[in-house]
Amino acid sequence: MNGETENSALFKMGASVQSLTDENALIVAVNEGNPVVLYRSNRKGWNSSPEDLDSLFLQEKRAQGAKFIVGEKNIFGNNSRQQTLNRLLSNYESVVNNSEYFILKLN
């Protein structure tokens, strides 16, 4: 899909989600509406953009059963989005946080 390879961040993130989360865990996928993250993760949940990720949105998703927030870091390129990423990384426990992607517990 779209030139993705098994070495791409998307494939690696999907494999990590599958191995590190329960198969029934719902996730918030930060991907600007592209359902490929949910598909590659083999999980159900919600697509979102970085601009969606305020505390009210995340509280609503947690109330609806979301357990994790996952995303590729490359979509957090501008200053405002980088601030959002820093806030997420500060406020939620990291399951994975590397140079390419993150998986955070939504608790």
Side-chain angles (χ1 to χ4, degrees):
M1 299 181 151
N2 295 332
E4 297 147 3
T5 67
E6 290 182 21
N7 290 324
S8 72
L10 179 62
F11 271 64
K12 290 185 231 177
M13 181 176 61
S16 291
V17 170
Q18 289 182 45
S19 67
L20 298 171
T21 68
D22 181 76
E23 67 182 40
N24 296 314
L26 299 174
I27 65 173
V28 175
V30 186
N31 54 27
E32 301 189 277
N34 184 347
V36 174
V37 172
L38 292 170
Y39 174 76
R40 289 287 174 211
S41 298
N42 196 28
R43 297 291 180 270
K44 293 181 180 180
W46 299 267
N47 290 310
S48 66
S49 71
E51 289 76 20
D52 295 331
L53 300 175
D54 61 27
S55 59
L56 179 61
F57 175 83
L58 294 173
Q59 287 173 3
E60 289 173 354
K61 295 308 172 210
R62 186 173 52 232
Q64 294 171 357
K67 301 293 183 197
F68 298 91
I69 309 166
V70 305
E72 290 181 82
K73 289 186 174 178
N74 63 359
I75 69 165
F76 291 87
N78 69 37
N79 190 41
S80 174
R81 287 182 169 195
Q82 189 61 51
Q83 289 176 2
T84 298
L85 177 59
N86 292 340
R87 181 177 44 80
L88 292 173
L89 294 172
S90 296
N91 292 331
Y92 297 97
E93 180 183 344
S94 294
V95 177
V96 175
N97 178 19
N98 61 37
S99 62
E100 296 179 311
Y101 63 90
F102 60 88
I103 301 171
L104 306 175
K105 284 187 179 180
L106 187 56
N107 48 7

